[in-house]
C-alpha cells in the first residue's frame, strides 16, 4: 500500500477510536459528559503529537532508533522540580495547587536547563554524542536527588509526588491546554522550516554536510524544538518515557521510507491511536485500576528490549 493510503487508514482508525471514546456509554447527560471527554481527547492528541514529532526528529538527528529525548534528562528534571516544590513549599503551596503556575514553572525551568546545556556544549565545539552523554549523567543526577528528597518527604505529601510520576489525562486544566496547544503549534510551525533537511540528516553528519545542509545550525534549532515539545507535553500530563520510542519505530516499520513527510505524520497518528486506545482500555477494562503511562511504558519497555536484541543479532 502507498504511504498516503496507510496514512489515510491510520487517520480513519484514529477517528473511529476517538468517536468510540467520546460516545461510548455517554447516556443522555451530554452537557456533562461530552465537554470532559473532548478535553481529555484534546490533551491526548496534543501530548501524542508533541512526543511523536519530537522523538522522530531526535532519532533522525542522532541517527539512532533506540534513543528518545528523555535521554537528555528532561523527564528526570520534571520529577526533580515537582519533588523539590512539594518538599520545600508543601503540597498546599499555590505552585502545586494552581496547575497554571506549576505548568509555567516546570516548562520554564526545563527550557532553561535545555538552553544552558545546548549553549555550553555547542559553544565548546562538542559533538552531539557528547551532549547525549552529559544528558544521561544529568538525568541520573536529577533522579538521585529526587529519590533522596522523596525519602525525606512527609508520607502524606509523598502521595502527591507519586501522582506526578505517572502521566494522567484526567482533570486537565483547560486554560493550560489552550496555552499548550498554542505553544506546540508555534513550535511545530517553526520546525517545519527545517523539515526539508530531515531526509538528508538521516544519512548522517558527513553526508548531510556534503549535500549542503548547514548541519550545526540546523541540529541546534531542531534540538531546541525537541526540548520545547517534550517540556510542554511532560509539564501538561506527566512523563511517558517509552511512548516516543514505540510510535517512532512502529512508524518506521509500517512505512519503510526515508521521507519524513510520511514518517512524522504517521508517527503522530500512531501515537494518538496508542493513547486513545490505551486510555479507553484503562477506563473501560481496568476501570482506572492502573494508569495509561504504566501500560505504555510496559509495552514500550518490552519493545525496547526487542530492538536491542535485534540489533545485537544484526
Amino acid at each position: 500500500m502507498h504511504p498516503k493510503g496507510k496514512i489515510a487508514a491510520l487517520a480513519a482508525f484514529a477517528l473511529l477510536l476517538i468517536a468510540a471514546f467520546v460516545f461510548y456509554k455517554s447516556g443522555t447527560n451530554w452537557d456533562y459528559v461530552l465537554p470532559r471527554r473532548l478535553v481529555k481527547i484534546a490533551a491526548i492528541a496534543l501530548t501524542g503529537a508533541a512526543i511523536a514529532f519530537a522523538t522522530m526528529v531526535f532519532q533522525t538527528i542522532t541517527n539512532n532508533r533506540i534513543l528518545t529525548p528523555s535521554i537528555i534528562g528532561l523527564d528526570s528534571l520534571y520529577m526533580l522540580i515537582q519533588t523539590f516544590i512539594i518538599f520545600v513549599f508543601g503540597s498546599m503551596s499555590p505552585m502545586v495547587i494552581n496547575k497554571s503556575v506549576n505548568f509555567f514553572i516546570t516548562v520554564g525551568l526545563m527550557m532553561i536547563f535545555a538552553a544552558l546545556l545546548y549553549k555550553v556544549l555547542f559553544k565548546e565545539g562538542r559533538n552531539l554524542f557528547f551532549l547525549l552523554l552529559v544528558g544521561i549523567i544529568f538525568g541520573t543526577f536529577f533522579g538521585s536527588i529526587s529519590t533522596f528528597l522523596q525519602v525525606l518527604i512527609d508520607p502524606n505529601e509523598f502521595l502527591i509526588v507519586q501522582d506526578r510520576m505517572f502521566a494522567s489525562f484526567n482533570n486537565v486544566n483547560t486554560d493550560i491546554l489552550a496555552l499548550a496547544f498554542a505553544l506546540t503549534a508555534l513550535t511545530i510551525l517553526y520546525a517545519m522550516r527545517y523539515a526539508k533537511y530531515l531526509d538528508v540528516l538521516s544519512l548522517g553528519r558527513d553526508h548531510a554536510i556534503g549535500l549542503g545542509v548547514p548541519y550545526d545550525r540546523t541540529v541546534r534549532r531542531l534540538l531546541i524544538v525537541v526540548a520545547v515539545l517534550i517540556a510542554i507535553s511532560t509539564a501538561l500530563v506527566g512523563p511517558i518515557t517509552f511512548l516516543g520510542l514505540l510510535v517512532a519505530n512502529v512508524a518506521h516499520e509500517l512505512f519503510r521510507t526515508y521521507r519524513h513527510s510520511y514518517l512524522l505524520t504517521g508517527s503522530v497518528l500512531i501515537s494518538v491511536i496508542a493513547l486513545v486506545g490505551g486510555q479507553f482500555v484503562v477506563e473501560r477494562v481496568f476501570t482506572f485500576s492502573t494508569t495509561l503511562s504504566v501500560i505504555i511504558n510496559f509495552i514500550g519497555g518490552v519493545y525496547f528490549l526487542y530492538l536491542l536484541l535485534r540489533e545485537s543479532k544484526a
Side-chain angles (χ1 to χ4, degrees), residues 29-266:
N29 196 2
W30 297 95
D31 294 338
Y32 176 82
V33 173
L34 285 184
R36 284 157 178 78
R37 291 187 180 179
L38 289 175
V39 167
K40 194 177 293 186
I41 285 293
I44 288 173
L46 172 63
T47 304
I51 293 177
F53 191 96
T55 304
M56 184 63 72
V57 171
F58 189 79
Q59 289 186 352
T60 299
I61 293 173
T62 58
N63 200 20
N64 192 316
R65 285 172 54 182
I66 64 173
L67 295 180
T68 64
S70 62
I71 199 172
I72 60 177
L74 290 178
D75 287 356
S76 299
L77 178 59
Y78 167 80
M79 281 310 307
L80 175 59
I81 293 169
Q82 301 302 319
T83 305
F84 182 81
I85 290 174
I86 295 175
F87 179 80
V88 174
F89 301 101
S91 58
M92 300 306 293
S93 168
M95 289 185 287
V96 178
I97 296 175
N98 191 317
K99 293 184 179 180
S100 298
V101 174
N102 187 274
F103 177 81
F104 281 115
I105 291 174
T106 304
V107 172
L109 291 177
M110 292 172 75
M111 289 309 307
I112 290 172
F113 165 73
L116 290 175
L117 184 64
Y118 295 161
K119 184 176 181 179
V120 171
L121 294 181
F122 281 116
K123 186 177 181 179
E124 295 180 357
R126 306 289 187 178
N127 59 31
L128 182 61
F129 296 102
F130 186 80
L131 169 66
L132 300 180
L133 177 61
V134 173
I136 294 173
I137 295 172
F138 270 114
T140 305
F141 176 65
F142 293 150
S144 299
I145 297 177
S146 299
T147 303
F148 175 71
L149 294 178
Q150 288 165 14
V151 171
L152 300 178
I153 205 169
D154 181 86
N156 293 322
E157 295 191 334
F158 175 72
L159 296 176
I160 308 298
V161 176
Q162 195 173 35
D163 288 338
R164 305 297 173 93
M165 294 180 181
F166 307 102
S168 175
F169 296 98
N170 300 315
N171 302 320
V172 176
N173 190 323
T174 54
D175 296 333
I176 298 177
L177 186 60
L179 176 63
F181 257 113
L183 292 175
T184 302
L186 290 174
T187 304
I188 291 178
L189 285 175
Y190 175 79
M192 296 310 294
R193 297 173 53 189
Y194 301 94
K196 59 185 177 182
Y197 297 127
L198 289 174
D199 294 346
V200 182
L201 288 175
S202 63
L203 299 175
R205 183 178 188 275
D206 295 335
H207 288 89
I209 293 175
L211 292 171
V213 174
Y215 182 83
D216 289 337
R217 185 181 68 184
T218 302
V219 167
R220 291 175 189 175
R221 301 296 188 276
L222 290 176
L223 281 174
I224 292 172
V225 168
V226 169
V228 172
L229 292 177
I230 294 299
I232 292 172
S233 62
T234 304
L236 181 65
V237 299
I240 312 180
T241 305
F242 285 105
L243 176 64
L245 174 77
L246 185 63
V247 300
N249 280 278
V250 170
H252 277 292
E253 295 293 333
L254 180 62
F255 287 93
R256 299 285 184 175
T257 180
Y258 66 91
R259 298 186 64 180
H260 283 73
S261 57
Y262 297 127
L263 291 174
L264 289 171
T265 306

